Amino acid sequence: HLAVSRGSKIFAEGARNAPIILTSPFELPGSTQPPQSKDIGGFVISGKAPANCNPNCTAEWDPTNKYGGTDAADNSGVVRYMQVRYAGYIFTTNRELNSFTFNAVGTGTTLEYLQSYRGGDDGVEFFGGTANVRNFVDSCGGDDSIDWDEGYSGKMQFALVNQRGCDGQDHGFESANSPTNFDATPRARPSIANVTLRGGGGGSRDAFNLKEGTGGNFWNVIATGFTRACIGIEGVPTQTASGPTTALTGVLTLQNSVIDCTTNFRTGTGVTAGYAQAWFEAQPGNSVASLA
């Protein structure tokens, strides 16, 4: 794995026709066995941007890796045109890496043209921070494709998730505010636009699993093929932060989006029956359509 510590910078600038590739040794010429997910760790940046675990933010994969601070514009460098393949190595139980892990990374960091391929854990996970990502692809991830926690409030634009015909997979988006205090501040509220989510793997559950008090503002999302539901909303704090469907607070929104799953809506524990569907239908430009 490659980890960039808090206060350090990396300048990893690949090119469209010559991306930087972090991959399994078994993908190299002369290998006697095929590469598998979890062959390698992954790629990590830890920064000094805000997170709702401050001041004691500790990476789940390495308790000596600290992150978080007060500088929303923190600059950890440039990562452009990079692929991470066959990541997700398990160090010990419950200590494994995503393909891309961004811990409290700030807006001063450039993150563009990133691809996760056949990772064993999430494609990308944000633990707090304000990082902005443009042009992200997750192909056959082993867990969630795009995950956030601990108050992430950055932006993501132009993303493609393909779980069709893959092993593993969980959610397209798994979105939480905090696992220990669902109303912790700053509340997770990223801005996400122009995303296509294609489920259909053996374990691809929800396109959106919105839980643990998360916020988030989504625009222009297409979601299809997820086996449990297209949209799942869980927990009283999540519904409360979002507000009644007749007067949404703006903390959690989805607009101008199209969904197509066998079950389109799932209301989780503690959420008013029918809330997920009413929430979706209350917002402009949303529709259910056949995308097969």
Side-chain angles (χ1 to χ4, degrees), residues 5-290:
S5 298
R6 180 170 58 179
S8 298
K9 293 183 180 180
I10 185 171
F11 294 91
E13 300 191 57
R16 178 179 178 183
N17 296 320
I20 297 165
I21 301 174
L22 177 61
T23 190
S24 166
F26 303 117
E27 194 177 16
L28 302 178
S31 171
T32 58
Q33 65 186 73
Q36 304 285 338
S37 64
K38 305 184 182 181
D39 278 347
I40 64 170
F43 178 68
V44 183
I45 299 178
S46 296
K48 298 185 289 185
N52 62 32
C53 52
N54 281 344
N56 297 307
C57 299
T58 301
E60 62 182 10
W61 64 281
D62 179 1
T64 69
N65 188 292
K66 307 295 184 180
Y67 59 92
T70 59
D71 185 3
D74 184 40
N75 183 351
S76 296
V78 177
V79 182
R80 184 181 283 123
Y81 290 107
M82 182 176 185
Q83 297 176 1
V84 178
R85 305 178 183 176
Y86 305 107
Y89 179 81
I90 300 174
F91 295 86
T92 61
T93 302
N94 296 322
R95 288 179 56 193
E96 58 195 67
L97 276 174
N98 309 293
S99 295
F100 293 91
T101 302
F102 298 128
N103 297 323
V105 176
T107 58
T109 309
T110 299
L111 301 168
E112 297 180 334
Y113 305 102
L114 309 179
Q115 181 178 12
S116 165
Y117 180 74
R118 292 193 178 275
D121 202 1
D122 300 335
V124 60
E125 184 163 7
F126 301 89
F127 291 91
T130 55
N132 299 328
V133 176
R134 288 170 58 90
N135 301 293
F136 172 75
V137 176
D138 178 50
S139 304
C140 284
D143 196 3
D144 310 308
S145 292
I146 302 169
D147 194 338
W148 64 70
D149 208 331
E150 296 180 349
Y152 171 60
S153 59
K155 299 176 181 178
M156 175 178 280
Q157 187 175 27
F158 308 121
L160 172 64
V161 167
N162 180 21
Q163 298 182 354
R164 186 176 185 180
C166 307
D167 296 329
Q169 296 79 53
D170 202 349
H171 305 102
F173 287 100
E174 182 168 66
S175 309
N177 182 46
S178 166
T180 57
N181 177 359
F182 299 165
D183 290 310
T185 57
R187 186 182 297 275
R189 189 180 172 181
S191 298
I192 311 293
N194 306 323
V195 179
T196 298
L197 306 171
R198 181 64 173 92
S204 59
R205 295 197 289 170
D206 301 332
F208 295 84
N209 183 29
L210 307 171
K211 63 176 188 173
E212 295 177 358
T214 193
N217 301 116
F218 300 87
W219 292 268
N220 305 336
V221 179
I222 295 173
T224 183
F226 286 80
T227 56
R228 185 164 70 171
C230 268
I231 297 174
I233 299 179
E234 298 186 1
V236 172
T238 310
Q239 179 177 344
T240 300
S242 178
T245 56
T246 54
L248 293 173
T249 63
V251 169
L252 182 64
T253 61
L254 173 65
Q255 301 178 39
N256 299 325
S257 296
V258 181
I259 61 172
D260 176 25
C261 298
T262 302
T263 300
N264 284 312
F265 306 102
R266 180 179 65 82
T267 301
T269 302
V271 176
T272 302
Y275 183 82
Q277 180 172 355
W279 174 84
F280 180 80
E281 294 175 348
Q283 299 175 77
N286 291 338
S287 63
V288 175
S290 176

